[in-house]
Amino acid sequence: MEKLEGYVDRIIFRNQESGYTVLVLTSGQEETTCVGVFPFINEGELIEVHGQRVEHAVYGDQFKAESFEIKEPEDEQSIERYLGSGAIKGVGTALAARIVRKFHKDSFRIIEEEPERLAEIKGISQKKAREIADQVYEKRDMRQAVIFLQQYGISVSLSVKIYQKYGADLYKVIRENPYRLAEDIEGVGFRIADDIAKRAGISRNSEYRMKCGIMYALLQSSSEGHVYLPQEELAKRAAELLETVPDDLEQCLMDLAIERKIVIKEEQGEKLIYGAAAYHIELNTARMLNDLNVADRIDEEKVLRKIAAIERTSSTQLDEMQRQAVLEAVRCGLLVITGGPGTGKTTTINTLISYFESEGLEVMLAAPTGRAAKRMTEATGYEAKTIHRLLEISAGKEGNAGSFARDEKNPLETDVIIVDEMSMVDIYLMHALLGAVAVGTRLIMVGDVNQLPSVGPGSVLKDIISSGCIQVVRLTRIFRQASESDIVVNAHRINRGEQVPLDNKSRDFFFLKRQDVNVIISIVIQLVRDKMPAYVNASVYDIQVLTPMRKGQLGVERLNRILQEYLNPPSKDKAEYTHGEILFREGDKVMQIKNNYQIEWEIRGKHGTVAEKGMGIFNGDMGIVRTISPQMERMTIEFDDHRMVDYPFSGLDELELSYAVTIHKSQGSEYPAIVIPLLAGPRMLMNRNLLYTAVTRARKCVTLVGDSVTFRQMIRNTMEQRRYTTLAQRIRELAPEPVEM
């Protein structure tokens, strides 16, 4: 085996997933092309490579590396070369030269042992000195971690995630409990963790492995919206995962219950299995709802006179149910207002705000997503915040878990809270919200119960309504202005199970009948790029393609690749970066696909000055790729409200292209126009509920392209995947007595 020592002059190619790298090594005047796995090697570093010379059929003479080690730079020129290579963010060639001029060969020792002394150099503050030292430590520690994890068959990109999650604790986690990876790390399933556990010497028959498999199956069910699983269903799923039989898991379930990791409840002869946290969150949610569910005696005539005065002042006319909604909001501590599009929910909210303000009460407005909050602000003229911002989200101590400054000990200081788009609120967010609402504060929940349920676990709005214990007002009348829109009229037809005329005589609802996938995609491109922007007076990026599925010929993944090529084609002026299977390009439309409570955003002024700062980008937030910097390993996204976020390349698995999104992901958003490609799909998915949600996302125009038979079948199909939740039952159990409906 040969040995080669030199400096990394330049990196020609690197696969971020595997770490496979092609680089040029210089030693004196000689340059050698080296190929191999070099995790986190940077240009300017001195390395010793062990391997052999090979002759590549296309690229000629190469040195194939089997192992390598990093050497400390031996002279001042080498130290300066490394520091100025871009490996340390914020240190360019000029600053590197000043550091070496000041500390000479002692530069690395100073950085590692006395970093505060870097502040002696002009242009380096104490803060920047610490940042430089932290980067040197992190690069060294991360490289060691990646090399350690490779012996367990873990890829470079996954190693980075593990290191970022656990830091120095990763060695203990891998050796003692590798199954934690399946719970904590996005992209690690039970099978990957199981394989690592096998390499770490954990027996496949161990009780410990069985328990981890059960807990993982339960955790996975929450991503399908379930709060619990029937024991039979859980045992079946876990047995399949563990490659055993359900009967072998009976004792493990009992042990997990004794350890208080799960809760087993028997309801009507059936055993229900909850994760302990999920059970107590659902139970506490029911308790807090009942605590808020108090009613006052009111002078109805006086309230109605005041409502009439507001109608005159605002030139609006409420119908009977809208007035009833205002009456109940004045009377009740807890109220649900539900109705479809065009039924006057916004007018009702505006009247409620006017009423409570006239009484000298403070009102707060909130919605689950940034887009929904922005719409609420535009519709009311009052600031609406996301629920996360209302509760004052702050970064968690580890991972992406966040905490709220507002809770039972520090409740929201207001008299009335109105939350819109309640169908999107899952059980965890509802629990957090209720924890910050003091008894005596009115909570008014507004939403469309016929929309798809939340992405997260639970069916909160539906369960609250079906409990029969909380006052509900249903708005059903479609107002004249809304009735002139075929989007609204057809949405209600779909919801009632009535067929929709597809004669294209409408001005805002079209159906283009096509059967060939390629023809459908071609028409979608024409509509988004050429036709719709002018028709609805919006930009190409405002036109949203919605599709039922992620996979398949008309799924999100394939459509995004195709739409990217036509809507944001390659250009020498646009930087690109490939992460996993996704190619990102400057100008791309992207979406955040998981809650990240720790990431920082900034709203920047004209000259790059920071006007506002905050934390948290959430599942469903959309933005545009503004810059991609391979040298800085960073991508900058501009989200709604001009929030700028810098993503390290290692964090790009939280983003995906969003020229097309699933209908489920579009929930709570509204677009000037939507285009829906539609062909046959799974019956459980292709239902009325999904179609209704899709159509109600459009403000000015809906165009469906595809099979009219599928469209009509979806209207008839009322099958919905059942969500295992017991919130309604818990509310009934804890309620002193039902409210008269």
Side-chain angles (χ1 to χ4, degrees), residues 129-155:
R130 286 194 300 272
E131 288 174 352
I132 291 169
D134 287 345
Q135 286 187 65
V136 171
Y137 295 144
E138 186 171 11
K139 284 181 181 294
R140 181 195 62 203
D141 294 346
M142 189 181 287
R143 189 182 287 120
Q144 290 172 351
V146 169
I147 292 168
F148 167 78
L149 292 169
Q150 281 184 322
Q151 66 184 301
Y152 294 96
I154 300 171
S155 71

Side-chain angles (χ1 to χ4, degrees), residues 46 62 365 403 427 430 459 568 584 718 720:
L46 175 64
Q62 294 182 339
L365 307 181
S403 60
I427 191 70
M430 189 64 184
S459 298
N568 187 31
F584 292 102
T718 56
E720 293 177 36

Side-chain angles (χ1 to χ4, degrees), residues 133-341:
D134 287 345
Q135 286 187 65
V136 171
Y137 295 144
E138 186 171 11
K139 284 181 181 294
R140 181 195 62 203
D141 294 346
M142 189 181 287
R143 189 182 287 120
Q144 290 172 351
V146 169
I147 292 168
F148 167 78
L149 292 169
Q150 281 184 322
Q151 66 184 301
Y152 294 96
I154 300 171
S155 71
V156 173
S157 61
L158 189 52
S159 297
V160 175
K161 288 187 191 178
I162 294 170
Y163 175 80
Q164 289 173 338
K165 175 68 179 177
Y166 302 118
D169 288 340
L170 73 88
Y171 303 98
K172 184 179 178 183
V173 170
I174 294 295
R175 290 183 179 123
E176 295 181 6
N177 183 9
Y179 292 103
R180 273 187 65 187
L181 301 176
E183 297 177 24
D184 297 342
I185 310 290
E186 186 81 19
V188 178
F190 181 82
R191 297 198 188 285
I192 293 174
D194 202 26
D195 188 48
I196 296 167
K198 184 180 178 182
R199 291 173 188 243
I202 295 174
S203 167
R204 293 182 65 79
N205 296 321
S206 73
E207 185 180 297
Y208 177 70
R209 176 177 178 266
M210 299 291 185
K211 290 179 182 177
C212 289
I214 291 169
M215 294 306 297
Y216 182 75
L218 202 53
L219 180 73
Q220 285 298 99
S221 74
S222 69
S223 67
E224 300 168 25
H226 304 307
V227 175
Y228 73 90
L229 282 179
Q231 181 172 320
E232 190 176 331
E233 174 72 14
L234 174 59
K236 179 183 172 185
R237 292 187 184 201
E240 189 176 324
L241 199 63
L242 294 161
E243 297 175 346
T244 185
V245 293
D247 290 347
D248 290 347
L249 304 177
E250 186 79 34
Q251 185 57 49
C252 290
L253 285 168
M254 294 301 109
D255 291 344
L256 285 168
I258 292 167
E259 294 165 15
R260 298 187 178 181
K261 291 183 178 177
I262 63 171
V263 173
I264 303 175
K265 295 284 288 184
E266 189 157 340
E267 309 278 355
Q268 298 176 340
E270 184 179 40
K271 286 184 178 177
L272 316 182
I273 314 291
Y274 302 76
Y279 173 78
H280 292 295
I281 279 172
E282 189 180 69
L283 188 63
N284 282 330
T285 298
R287 175 186 61 78
M288 290 187 287
L289 283 167
N290 279 307
D291 288 346
L292 293 174
N293 192 22
V294 294
D296 290 334
R297 293 182 178 226
I298 61 169
D299 184 337
E300 286 197 15
E301 290 301 319
K302 183 180 176 183
V303 174
L304 287 170
R305 283 197 299 273
K306 185 164 274 194
I307 293 171
I310 293 169
E311 287 180 89
R312 286 193 297 274
T313 305
S314 60
S315 301
T316 57
Q317 186 172 359
L318 305 183
D319 73 357
E320 182 184 348
M321 294 314 296
Q322 288 175 306
R323 288 192 195 92
Q324 187 65 32
V326 179
L327 269 174
E328 297 303 337
V330 175
R331 188 196 328 267
C332 302
L334 198 60
L335 174 68
V336 173
I337 301 171
T338 185

Side-chain angles (χ1 to χ4, degrees), residues 584-592 599-604 617 621-628 634-649 651-652 654-658:
F584 292 102
R585 182 177 294 134
E586 288 178 349
D588 273 337
K589 184 177 175 181
V590 294
M591 175 187 276
Q592 177 82 8
I599 201 163
E600 292 185 0
W601 53 261
E602 297 176 347
I603 297 175
R604 298 169 186 168
I617 297 293
D621 285 356
M622 280 181 157
I624 304 292
V625 178
R626 293 304 181 198
T627 60
I628 296 175
R634 187 175 69 196
M635 190 160 85
T636 302
I637 313 293
E638 182 177 358
F639 287 95
D640 292 337
D641 304 324
H642 307 293
R643 293 172 299 155
M644 307 294 286
V645 179
D646 293 330
Y647 284 81
F649 282 174
L652 296 185
E654 295 187 1
L655 295 166
E656 65 182 20
L657 298 176
S658 62

Side-chain angles (χ1 to χ4, degrees), residues 447-466:
D448 185 347
V449 74
N450 294 307
Q451 299 279 3
L452 289 168
S454 57
V455 175
S459 298
V460 173
L461 181 62
K462 189 174 285 187
D463 286 352
I464 288 172
I465 292 172
S466 64

Side-chain angles (χ1 to χ4, degrees), residues 596-610:
N596 186 332
Y597 302 100
Q598 289 191 317
I599 201 163
E600 292 185 0
W601 53 261
E602 297 176 347
I603 297 175
R604 298 169 186 168
K606 285 184 180 179
H607 305 292
T609 54
V610 178

